[in-house]
Amino acid sequence: MKTNKFSTATFFAVFFFVFILATSDRVHAAAEICSPLSGTAASSATTQTGPTILPNIFDPHGPPARMIHDLSWLVLGICGGLFILVEGMIFYGVIFYRRKKNDKSKDEPRQVYGSNPVEIAWTIIPLLIVFVLALTTVRTIRSIELTEAPKGALQVVVIGHQWWWEYRYLDASVPGGEVVVANELHVPINRPVWLRLESADVIHSWWVPALAGKMDVIPNHTNHTWFNAETEGLYLGQCAEYCGNQHAGMLLRVVASKPAEFDAWLQTQVAPTVNDTSVAMGRDIFQEYACSNCHTVKGVSDGQFAPDLTHLMSRQTIASGVAPLDPTTLKAWIDNPQALKPGCNMPSLQLDTQELDAVTAYLLTLR
Ligand code: CUA
């Protein structure tokens, strides 16, 4: 009996220790992946102001994330308190009620059954705890899951693709009523953002922990979520539903900036496609080869399967946040996408050196 109790306590202690170790390790790993990218700015319109905010539920920067954070601490506090109480009593029993060295009797200790006050206590107290946990959870869920857009919200359609994110800003003032971008979501600070989530293929999950909870992105089904970034910065996140080979390479980036800076960025996305005649050869190759079947460059091609490249150079990264957007990496990516993001749906077009240079030079003009 006593040895059993002791090993249970040891087991929980070791489990708790390993859990802490494992989680701190994950946070460090995320920091290492994310930090090299944070400094690469492609153009002045996208220069990041403010810090890079890592995916961390204990560092909320807006209402839904803060409500989840507060609830997490409440649940952790209650459960941690219970854990310490129960383990403490086990240790107390194990240490102070061991069989004494000189106790030679073979009898079991006195067994105590049936104490009404004790039984009522250990029925009522857990009931109250479960009641508190359930009510606070329901209240939090109800305040996070809105059924319609908050007043004055920026409305964006999020479309999950294997393995990148498409964002369509619903804006009646622009031709077509939409501004289409990929992988880097720009938002103004202190304004609610209402997301309509859809999928082009399988189930994904949109999760930027510092801004909001996870929301699944499901084929043939529309979900909604919202957030309100309170501080400027680059918020990192990650697709949170296993969706195939490059699930881990389906990173989320949300750039929150002052309203004026956001408006300036939006203008760059609405601007007409740059048409630089010095890179006409690259554009022709882009149009004639398979690039144009998947990618849209407004006025040049209208592929729908892959990210819109009309204003490619206004982004900091390529391949959905997997690599920084700079000329060397871009060229390597076009040459052999599978080397950078194994399993992704972009094939190598086996371009020769001259063609590769021309296409790269063309894409580098798409500001
Ligand atoms: Cu998309 Cu995991």
Side-chain angles (χ1 to χ4, degrees), residues 33 158-167 183 197-208 215 217-218 236-253 317-323 340-342 344-345:
I33 296 164
V158 180
I159 305 170
H161 293 258
Q162 280 177 319
W163 289 277
W164 60 281
W165 300 95
E166 178 177 349
Y167 295 109
N183 293 324
L197 302 133
E198 295 170 1
S199 171
D201 35 52
V202 299
I203 302 178
H204 306 272
S205 182
W206 195 92
W207 192 33
V208 180
M215 185 52 80
V217 181
I218 303 170
L236 299 175
Q238 161 74 53
C239 177
E241 180 70 48
Y242 181 69
C243 54
N245 293 17
Q246 279 299 333
H247 161 64
M250 198 168 167
L251 304 171
L252 281 155
R253 297 168 74 80
T317 59
I318 50 172
S320 196
V322 164
L340 200 60
K341 199 168 175 177
C344 77
N345 291 329

Side-chain angles (χ1 to χ4, degrees), residues 178-180 269-273 296-301 308-311:
E178 284 186 329
V179 180
V180 184
Q269 304 302 307
V270 179
T273 310
T296 290
V297 173
K298 263 193 224 126
V300 177
S301 64
D308 187 304
L309 300 180
T310 310
H311 300 288

Side-chain angles (χ1 to χ4, degrees), residues 317-334:
T317 59
I318 50 172
S320 196
V322 164
L325 174 48
D326 58 53
T328 319
T329 319
L330 181 63
K331 189 172 153 184
W333 168 247
I334 301 165

Side-chain angles (χ1 to χ4, degrees), residues 25-222:
D25 214 44
R26 280 191 66 115
V27 171
H28 286 148
E32 269 168 36
I33 296 164
C34 301
S35 54
L37 297 181
S38 56
T40 50
S43 85
S44 59
T46 57
T47 304
Q48 175 193 335
T49 44
T52 298
I53 296 148
L54 296 177
N56 179 359
I57 65 157
F58 295 107
D59 182 26
H61 287 256
R66 186 164 304 108
M67 285 183 252
I68 293 170
H69 166 262
D70 294 349
L71 179 64
S72 305
W73 273 121
L74 180 75
V75 174
L76 264 175
I78 291 177
C79 296
L82 280 176
F83 178 81
I84 289 167
L85 183 74
V86 171
E87 292 303 310
M89 290 199 295
I90 290 176
F91 274 106
Y92 180 79
V94 165
I95 292 164
F96 293 101
Y97 293 92
R98 295 173 76 83
R99 185 189 285 262
K100 303 286 180 296
K101 264 195 187 125
N102 52 7
D103 183 357
K104 295 281 187 292
S105 81
K106 291 211 168 60
D107 299 337
E108 278 196 346
R110 188 168 65 87
Q111 303 294 304
V112 184
Y113 298 103
S115 160
N116 280 342
V118 170
E119 283 177 14
I120 288 170
W122 73 41
T123 307
I124 300 286
I125 295 172
L127 210 66
L128 288 177
I129 291 171
V130 170
F131 200 60
V132 167
L133 291 179
L135 284 187
T136 47
T137 305
V138 168
R139 196 181 63 183
T140 306
I141 291 173
R142 284 185 66 100
S143 25
I144 290 173
E145 290 194 348
L146 305 182
T147 48
E148 55 187 69
K151 243 179 125 190
L154 175 71
Q155 306 212 16
V156 185
V157 181
V158 180
I159 305 170
H161 293 258
Q162 280 177 319
W163 289 277
W164 60 281
W165 300 95
E166 178 177 349
Y167 295 109
R168 294 177 170 260
Y169 292 75
L170 303 181
D171 184 346
S173 67
V174 302
E178 284 186 329
V179 180
V180 184
V181 303
N183 293 324
E184 291 176 15
L185 177 66
H186 285 245
V187 297
I189 51 166
N190 295 322
R191 179 174 168 193
V193 181
W194 178 244
L195 301 178
R196 190 175 97 203
L197 302 133
E198 295 170 1
S199 171
D201 35 52
V202 299
I203 302 178
H204 306 272
S205 182
W206 195 92
W207 192 33
V208 180
L211 293 175
K214 291 174 189 173
M215 185 52 80
D216 275 6
V217 181
I218 303 170
N220 300 315
H221 179 86
T222 302

